[in-house]
Amino acid sequence: MPNSSSISEFLLLPLADTRQLQLLHFWLLLGIYLAALLGNGLISTAVACDRRLHTPMYFFLLNLALLDLGCISTTLPKAMANALWDTRAISYAGCAAQIFFFAFFISAEYSLLTIMSYDRYVAICKPLHYGTLMDSRACATMAAAAWGTGLLYSLLHTASTFSLPLCQGNVVNQFFCEIPQILKLSCSASYLKEVVLIILSFSLVFGCFVFIVVSYVQIFMAVLRMPSEQGWHKAFSTCLPHLVVLSLLVSTASIACLKTPSISSPLLDLTVALLYAVVPPTLNPIIYSMRNREIKHALRKVLQYASFQL
């Protein structure tokens, strides 16, 4: 049996068995990756360049776009390279780095989504106090807390995961290095401390999710008291997609980390991973920003300026 000291690389899950399907998966992943880069890159550029978007809501959207860029850039490039070059290998250090950065970006993003729900709650339910509660210093502090939470979470989980002795081989049944898949390679009784850490983490995740849902319920109740039907439509068309994507992220990540081996299969694991690691960073630009009139106006100005310079 190999142990962790003798493992120099891991073998990731192949996305297809034939060369034609491998190339097809490469082009599909490339299209998804470019769409995510374009959407999040445009949002970051628009918010950074347009002074009228220098408000708390757009400041948090800028942070969300940066986290989405980091999250999807941690997983898809390696999967695309493996599909293109017909290989499965990832180095031990590369696997550890992938786990660290993915845990960092995904946990920081979830913390930021919690903050964004509070921002919308204050803006709609306590508009007279918004300038005081969400001033520039408070926004910077909350954003730093989100990034700091992600850093702490990723350090704890990466250190805990790779301190375990690995005695079940080096085959990772996923297209990227994922903590639950690494735990399957550990010795039978050695992974309990990481499982306890995961359960504690998801207790906090569930608490944040309850906070987010309660915030949106309060927003919906406040909106329903408004006389304008246009205001209802705008609030519901904005908030409901947020809740859908957030629910998708939380539910699929929970399934990935908490499911038992008896219900695990390569197809299920791959589907769940795509739903929480790839879909949200790709859809977030559309749901949170691209339907926003101010973002569209800022993007038009940026594109007009760029075309003028050319």
Side-chain angles (χ1 to χ4, degrees):
M1 282 289 182
N3 56 41
S4 55
S5 62
S6 64
I7 294 176
S8 60
E9 67 178 18
F10 293 94
L11 298 178
L12 299 175
L13 178 71
L15 294 176
D17 298 327
T18 65
R19 187 61 183 150
Q20 291 79 7
L21 285 176
Q22 286 177 338
L23 293 175
L24 176 61
H25 283 121
F26 166 77
W27 288 110
L28 287 174
L29 293 178
L30 179 62
I32 294 171
Y33 185 55
L34 291 178
L37 289 182
L38 179 63
N40 289 293
L42 287 175
I43 290 170
S44 302
T45 303
V47 175
C49 295
D50 195 325
R51 288 186 174 275
R52 291 181 302 175
L53 300 184
H54 292 179
T55 63
M57 183 179 76
Y58 294 109
F59 170 73
F60 293 133
L61 281 176
L62 171 62
N63 280 267
L64 180 66
L66 295 176
L67 290 170
D68 280 335
L69 284 172
C71 185
I72 202 164
S73 296
T74 302
T75 57
L76 284 195
K78 181 59 179 175
M80 289 189 294
N82 283 358
L84 182 62
W85 301 113
D86 190 19
T87 182
R88 300 171 55 191
I90 183 171
S91 67
Y92 187 93
C95 186
Q98 203 170 54
I99 283 182
F100 171 82
F101 284 110
F102 183 74
F104 168 58
F105 288 121
I106 201 75
S107 55
E109 178 169 329
Y110 188 71
S111 300
L112 187 68
L113 290 172
T114 306
I115 293 169
M116 290 171 66
S117 71
Y118 174 72
D119 170 66
R120 292 298 85 205
Y121 164 76
V122 175
I124 295 175
C125 299
K126 298 181 181 295
L128 297 179
H129 302 283
Y130 187 75
T132 303
L133 295 175
M134 302 300 294
D135 61 9
S136 57
R137 183 174 181 180
C139 291
T141 301
M142 286 188 279
W147 289 80
T149 299
L151 179 61
L152 178 61
Y153 179 89
S154 60
L155 283 172
L156 287 174
H157 280 284
T158 305
S160 176
T161 300
F162 284 92
S163 67
L164 302 174
L166 306 179
C167 53
Q168 302 293 329
N170 67 335
V171 178
V172 178
N173 289 319
Q174 191 53 271
F175 73 95
F176 67 99
C177 283
E178 186 185 46
I179 290 177
Q181 298 298 331
I182 299 297
L183 293 183
K184 291 181 181 180
L185 305 180
S186 63
C187 300
S188 57
S190 61
Y191 63 87
L192 292 179
K193 63 178 182 179
E194 175 61 18
V195 171
V196 171
L197 188 58
I198 289 176
I199 292 174
L200 290 175
S201 298
F202 271 92
S203 299
L204 294 175
V205 167
F206 181 74
C208 290
F209 184 71
V210 170
F211 176 84
I212 292 169
V213 171
V214 170
S215 298
Y216 279 121
V217 168
Q218 294 292 324
I219 290 172
F220 292 150
M221 292 175 63
V223 168
L224 288 174
R225 291 194 291 266
M226 296 178 181
S228 170
E229 291 188 7
Q230 185 178 2
W232 298 359
H233 175 74
K234 183 177 179 180
F236 282 108
S237 65
T238 302
C239 294
L240 286 178
H242 295 188
L243 282 176
V244 170
V245 174
L246 186 66
S247 300
L248 178 68
L249 173 64
V250 173
S251 60
T252 51
S254 301
I255 292 171
C257 291
L258 303 178
K259 68 180 182 299
T260 60
S262 60
I263 64 171
S264 181
S265 68
L267 179 59
L268 175 63
D269 293 346
L270 178 61
T271 303
V272 168
L274 287 172
L275 288 175
Y276 82 83
V278 176
V279 172
T282 307
L283 290 184
N284 278 343
I286 300 172
I287 290 176
Y288 284 91
S289 303
M290 289 306 183
R291 299 184 307 165
N292 186 294
R293 187 163 45 190
E294 293 176 319
I295 288 284
K296 290 179 180 178
H297 179 71
L299 286 176
R300 278 195 295 268
K301 288 180 60 178
V302 170
L303 293 176
Q304 287 173 358
Y305 179 79
S307 62
F308 178 77
Q309 293 298 313
L310 293 175

